[in-house]
Amino acid sequence: MFVIFISKCLGFIYRMQFMRIAGEEAVGLYMTAYPTFIFFISLIQLGIPIAISKLIAEYFAKRKVEHVSTIMKTAIKISAISIILFSPFVYFIIPYIAKVLLHNENLIFTLYISLFTIPIVVFSSLIKAYLQGLAKIAPTAWAQLLEQLVRIGLIVVLLPYFIYESPAVTAAAAMGITAIGEIFSLIFLAYFYKRSSKTFKKGNSSGSFAKPIFNIALPSAGSKLFGTFTWFLEPIIFLKALTVSGLAAGAATTLYGIISGVHIPLLLFPAFIPAALAIVLIPAVSSAMASSNYTLVNKRVTHSLRLSSLIGCLAASVFFLHGDELTMLLFHLEENRGYMKILAPIFYFYYIQSPLHSILQALDEAKAAMMNSIYGGIGKLFILFFLASQPSIQEKGAIIPIGFGVLITSFLHIASI
């Protein structure tokens, strides 16, 4: 909880400085490009970090430590091949995504810089998975905090030199700062990886672990790809619907940046407590289920949902009453749009969503949890296009579906449990 809280605070400071220095239009461009960046990462990663973490934990527990370094080397080779194969495809498709799907050619430069950031993120994720498999959580937490500190420092020191250029250049510079933060994180993690790998013997066979890696990686990659793909589609449908309703493409991009870069992060800030609970709930509920102690299962589920509900009520109340004023005070927004009064009551259900998701996983209902999230994502996209394309409501029609997706997923989780 402490690590997530510190990380949230630093991320919050970063977004505040970014909005104040870069302005609404540049933030809009950056936040519109960001889901595409995350989708590219999921496409190139192929779910390998999850497989690495699981396999290394299993072999380490079985004292077959001679396989640990071989698994990691195999994963690095697979990831390098994936980068070489997919990067040219991504490079040539970027102009199409920016001009045709996102309706803004100013995004091209930002997306190109994100492409060069992807290999850094991929190798950082491999080392994080390796360390997590060995139950060495501290280095990964410190790496995340270091990355945030570097980004905050560079936003304050370097970004002001780019604001006199166009918003497209400012957004691209911000993506470059993200890349530099990832480089510092990778160097930090590489030090711990090198120190840790010296303690393991070299494996006997180099290529024998490709099959077990893919057996775990590909199914998890499919699930993650769908999630990131719906997020990738969100700004596309958002911008398309608003342009259909008569709003200019530039104004629609700025609006998306304000919602996804200001309002949503502010609403998600108190979620560090439910997020920490969600991590603890999986082993807590699983162990109680394994011993058939259903009284303890109910007790742990009830306690976690009560605490999450209390946090949700407090957060939703504060944001409903003062959320719009906070966005103007902290992020220097030019006008009070009233979006927080629409979103705050609905986001109560978001604060209980992550514990509900973990409870389902602990009850061996991971498929139900995934399908509930898929239904929520698809429902959000359909309602988004339908409402946002209505000229009479425009912006409000783009806000309501975000809450609609939260409601669908949360209610389906409750029904499944």
Side-chain angles (χ1 to χ4, degrees):
M1 192 184 292
F2 176 75
V3 170
I4 295 171
F5 173 70
I6 296 297
S7 181
K8 286 264 185 187
C9 286
L10 292 175
F12 197 63
I13 293 167
Y14 168 79
R15 289 176 188 277
M16 280 170 47
Q17 294 299 326
F18 186 23
M19 179 62 77
R20 289 180 174 188
I21 294 168
E24 293 181 5
E25 190 175 348
V27 172
L29 289 169
Y30 179 87
M31 293 307 302
T32 304
Y34 198 77
T36 307
F37 169 53
I38 299 299
F39 176 67
F40 288 160
I41 291 172
S42 299
L43 182 68
I44 293 173
Q45 270 184 339
L46 297 173
I48 290 172
I50 296 169
I52 295 307
S53 183
K54 188 176 187 301
L55 287 172
I56 287 177
E58 286 177 1
Y59 283 116
F60 192 65
K62 294 174 183 175
R63 300 183 185 277
K64 296 181 179 180
V65 293
E66 69 275 6
H67 295 317
V68 169
S69 59
T70 309
I71 291 168
M72 190 63 180
K73 286 177 181 177
T74 305
I76 290 171
K77 287 177 184 176
I78 294 169
S79 297
I81 292 168
S82 176
I83 290 167
I84 292 167
L85 289 176
F86 284 108
S87 292
F89 167 74
V90 172
Y91 180 86
F92 288 111
I93 204 173
I94 279 174
Y96 174 80
I97 291 172
K99 292 177 182 177
V100 179
L101 298 180
L102 296 173
H103 301 281
N104 200 326
E105 62 181 343
N106 290 329
L107 292 165
I108 293 175
F109 194 24
T110 304
L111 289 173
Y112 276 137
I113 292 178
S114 75
L115 175 59
F116 291 105
T117 311
I118 289 170
I120 305 165
V121 176
V122 168
F123 290 119
S124 288
S125 300
L126 288 180
I127 299 174
K128 284 178 184 176
Y130 170 87
L131 293 169
Q132 286 168 355
L134 298 174
K136 295 183 178 180
I137 307 298
T140 61
W142 287 115
Q144 188 177 358
L145 296 182
L146 174 66
E147 180 193 334
Q148 294 277 32
L149 286 170
V150 169
R151 289 172 69 187
I152 291 167
L154 292 177
I155 280 285
V156 173
V157 175
L158 286 185
L159 197 63
Y161 291 103
F162 294 93
I163 59 172
Y164 301 107
E165 305 291 336
S166 66
V169 174
T170 308
M175 186 60 78
I177 287 170
T178 299
I180 295 169
E182 290 286 351
I183 290 169
F184 273 86
S185 175
L186 178 59
I187 293 168
F188 183 83
L189 289 165
Y191 166 75
F192 282 95
Y193 169 66
K194 190 173 181 181
R195 197 172 73 172
S196 176
S197 62
K198 287 179 181 178
T199 61
F200 298 111
K201 299 174 186 176
K202 291 184 179 179
N204 297 322
S205 55
S206 58
S208 59
F209 290 101
K211 187 176 179 181
I213 287 172
F214 280 122
N215 285 343
I216 300 167
L218 293 180
S220 62
S223 174
K224 192 174 181 182
L225 265 174
F226 188 88
T228 54
F229 184 65
T230 55
W231 192 25
F232 164 70
L233 289 176
E234 185 180 297
I236 295 171
I237 294 173
F238 186 98
L239 300 176
K240 182 67 177 175
L242 285 176
T243 50
V244 167
S245 70
L247 199 67
T253 303
T254 302
L255 178 63
Y256 183 79
I258 291 169
I259 295 167
S260 59
V262 175
H263 292 85
I264 302 300
L266 187 60
L267 285 163
L268 296 185
F269 183 77
F272 71 92
I273 296 175
L277 272 175
I279 295 167
V280 177
L281 268 171
I282 294 178
V285 175
S286 297
S287 61
M289 283 292 291
S291 58
S292 300
N293 190 343
Y294 302 117
T295 304
L296 185 58
V297 171
N298 285 326
K299 185 178 179 182
R300 287 176 171 173
V301 167
T302 304
H303 282 347
S304 61
L305 291 179
R306 278 179 180 169
L307 181 56
S308 299
S309 185
L310 179 63
I311 297 299
C313 284
L314 289 170
S317 301
V318 170
F319 288 137
F320 181 79
L321 294 170
H322 308 293
D324 291 304
E325 289 76 12
L326 280 171
T327 59
M328 295 180 70
L329 179 67
L330 297 174
F331 295 93
H332 289 195
L333 295 186
E334 294 174 1
E335 60 178 308
N336 184 344
R337 292 175 168 86
Y339 299 157
M340 294 296 271
K341 280 190 165 48
I342 299 172
L343 289 171
I346 301 170
F347 260 70
Y348 158 76
F349 290 96
Y350 186 89
Y351 301 121
I352 64 170
Q353 192 176 108
S354 52
L356 290 170
H357 191 275
S358 292
I359 291 164
L360 282 172
Q361 288 183 317
L363 298 174
D364 289 328
E365 293 289 346
K367 185 180 178 182
M370 184 187 77
M371 292 308 297
N372 294 343
S373 301
I374 288 172
Y375 294 143
I378 293 173
K380 177 177 72 173
L381 294 177
F382 272 109
I383 299 296
L384 176 61
F385 186 80
F386 176 74
L387 292 181
S389 60
Q390 305 299 316
S392 57
I393 50 177
Q394 275 189 346
E395 296 180 11
K396 296 290 192 298
I399 299 293
I400 294 167
I402 295 170
F404 186 77
V406 170
L407 288 178
I408 292 177
T409 303
S410 297
F411 287 155
L412 287 174
H413 282 347
I414 292 167
S416 297
I417 290 171

